[in-house]
Each structure stands twice: as structure tokens, then as C-alpha cells.
Amino acid sequence: MSYKFLPLVFLGFILNISNTKTTSKSIYKSHSAKTEAAKPATLAKNKVVTFEEKTITLYNEIEAGQYSLPNLETFIKAFEGYHALENQGKVKNNILTIVDFSFSSTKERMWVIDMENKKVILQTLVSHGMNSGKEFAKSFSNQNESFKSSLGFFITGETYIGKHGISLKLDGQEYGLNDNARERAVVVHGADYVSKSLANRQGYIGRSQGCPAVAPEVASKLIKTIKNKSVLFIYHPTRMYVNKSRLIS
């Protein structure tokens, strides 16, 4: 080989290495970009799974004692809203009350759960509105004079003494679903028509004008337990509620 060609060969070798490095960097950047783009979706997916797993773990840790537990599906939705309201600073009393209107009114479809001690402390009968249905609640409203129950999340307010004795005011937290609760005077109170004997006799308990009423012998204990900014969740698996609620997914 002629020595005069050596500089050209050497220059070609250097250029080849440079091109290889440039190509490698491009491939690395492309791979990194794809990885970064995939991260948000992956993290979002993991976040959902992690929260659901956390909720299921919590559910399995709750001590039912002499009572039963609400359905897991209902509890997952209840805890999702409870968690959101807690993050908003609205929860001062760590009690979660769940009412599941998918059950017959003859069933004890209200659960009161002490979230701090992970324990069901009460399970009892609860009424629905007279225009919501007979044995089963099927129709719901946020309108005055509808005499129907409202669905969704409520924060419990203050107590007062009314015609039903001690009663508890409620503030609906879901616009268009239950935010008229205070104006409608939808409250927790005791009522003689909420009784097992009446349920056994006629196949359903008495109904209210939209209030979640309980038996008189239960009312005082219940109200004193859940008053002052705890969460009350009234649920029914109707598409109307699931689609409109901003507190459950």
C-alpha cells in the first residue's frame, strides 16, 4: 500500500466511528422518548391498581363482629368517595356510614363503620322515600317535594330536636344529585314505621318523605355516633348515579 493513501484511510475510519456514535445516540434517544412516553400511562395504571388493592386489603381487615359487611363493590365506591372528601379536608369524624338501596327495605342495609379502628359498630334497617319505591328503592331525586331519596355522598351536620326527636342535618356533596338535601330537610331521624315487625307483616318497612329514617331505638345512638362531619354514602347501582357522580369512578 502506498503511504500517501494512509491519511485517507485513517480519515474514513474516524468518520465511520463518528457515524456509529451518532446512530447509537439516535437509537438511545428514540428508546428513551418511548420509555418516557409510556411512563405516565404505566404510573396511572399502577396508581389505580394500588388504590383498589389498598381498598380490598382494608375491607378484609374490617371486623364485622355480630354484623355482616357491605358488598365489596359498594365498599370500594364508598371508600373512594370517603378518601376524596377526606383529602378535601371535609371529614372530621372518621366514621363511614353506607346505605345500600340495592337491598330490600326488609334487610339491614345501613352499615356504620369506624374507619380508625376498622370495625362495624352498627348495622340496621333504614327507610327510603315513599316515591322511590315500595319494598325496593328504584327512583331517586334531588328535587323539593319529590318525596324521593337522593343518592351519593353526604357530610353529616349538626343535630336538633324536631317532631321525630333528635335528628341530624345532612349536606349533600354532589351537585345535581343531592346538594339540595338541607333545603329539602333530608335528615337522619327515628320513625316508628322502621320496624322488623312491620316488615314481616307487610313485606316492606314504612317509607319517608326522602329521609334515611331508622328505628326510634337506634336513632339516638346512631346520630350521636355519626354527627359532626362524618361521611354518609347512599348507594344504588343505577347508571344515572354512576355516570353523574364525580366522587366515584
Side-chain angles (χ1 to χ4, degrees):
M1 177 185 293
S2 174
Y3 286 105
K4 66 181 179 180
F5 292 110
L6 284 177
L8 294 176
V9 172
F10 181 74
L11 178 61
F13 178 74
I14 295 298
L15 290 174
N16 185 56
I17 290 175
S18 177
N19 289 337
T20 301
K21 287 183 178 180
T22 302
T23 303
S24 298
K25 285 182 180 179
S26 299
I27 292 171
Y28 175 78
K29 286 181 179 179
S30 176
H31 176 71
S32 297
K34 288 180 180 178
T35 302
E36 290 299 319
K39 276 184 179 179
T42 302
L43 290 174
K45 182 178 180 181
N46 288 340
K47 185 176 180 181
V48 171
V49 171
T50 300
F51 182 81
E52 184 170 336
E53 287 177 347
K54 175 183 175 182
T55 306
I56 293 171
T57 298
L58 173 61
Y59 178 83
N60 290 327
E61 290 174 348
I62 294 173
E63 181 185 343
Q66 62 180 310
Y67 307 114
S68 66
L69 289 174
N71 288 340
L72 175 59
E73 178 186 354
T74 306
F75 181 80
I76 289 173
K77 289 179 171 57
F79 183 66
E80 184 179 5
Y82 175 91
H83 183 70
L85 292 169
E86 189 176 40
N87 284 342
Q88 293 171 24
K90 294 183 177 181
V91 181
K92 305 299 181 185
N93 180 359
N94 295 323
I95 299 292
L96 172 59
T97 303
I98 299 173
V99 174
D100 189 344
F101 277 156
S102 67
F103 287 95
S104 162
S105 68
T106 64
K107 304 298 182 183
E108 294 182 328
R109 54 186 180 169
M110 171 185 274
W111 291 262
V112 182
I113 303 172
D114 180 338
M115 298 297 284
E116 186 174 349
N117 295 305
K118 301 177 184 178
K119 184 177 181 180
V120 178
I121 54 180
L122 183 65
Q123 182 180 357
T124 190
L125 296 171
V126 61
S127 71
H128 56 254
M130 61 180 67
N131 288 339
S132 283
K134 200 170 183 179
E135 179 185 354
F136 289 89
K138 298 178 180 179
S139 181
F140 309 96
S141 177
N142 189 37
Q143 299 301 313
N144 289 325
E145 306 301 323
S146 66
F147 296 160
K148 293 183 180 183
S149 296
S150 297
L151 298 177
F153 290 89
F154 301 79
I155 294 293
T156 62
E158 68 278 15
T159 63
Y160 68 98
I161 303 299
K163 64 180 180 179
H164 296 290
I166 187 170
S167 303
L168 176 65
K169 293 186 178 182
L170 300 172
D171 291 301
Q173 301 300 300
E174 304 204 63
Y175 178 77
L177 290 167
N178 61 20
D179 58 314
N180 287 332
R182 189 169 281 253
E183 182 183 346
R184 293 179 61 201
V186 173
V187 301
V188 178
H189 64 78
D192 291 333
Y193 54 73
V194 182
S195 72
K196 291 182 179 179
S197 59
L198 184 61
N200 292 334
R201 188 163 64 250
Q202 66 181 20
Y204 57 94
I205 64 172
R207 294 157 295 163
S208 67
Q209 294 184 345
C211 297
V214 296
E217 62 270 20
V218 172
S220 181
K221 177 184 177 181
L222 170 67
I223 289 171
K224 288 177 181 177
T225 300
I226 70 173
K227 67 180 181 178
N228 297 331
K229 301 192 182 303
S230 73
V231 175
L232 167 64
F233 177 49
I234 301 179
Y235 177 68
H236 186 277
T238 174
R239 187 175 298 276
M240 177 275 294
Y241 172 67
V242 175
N243 287 344
K244 285 188 177 182
S245 177
R246 295 183 179 180
L247 288 174
I248 65 170
S249 55

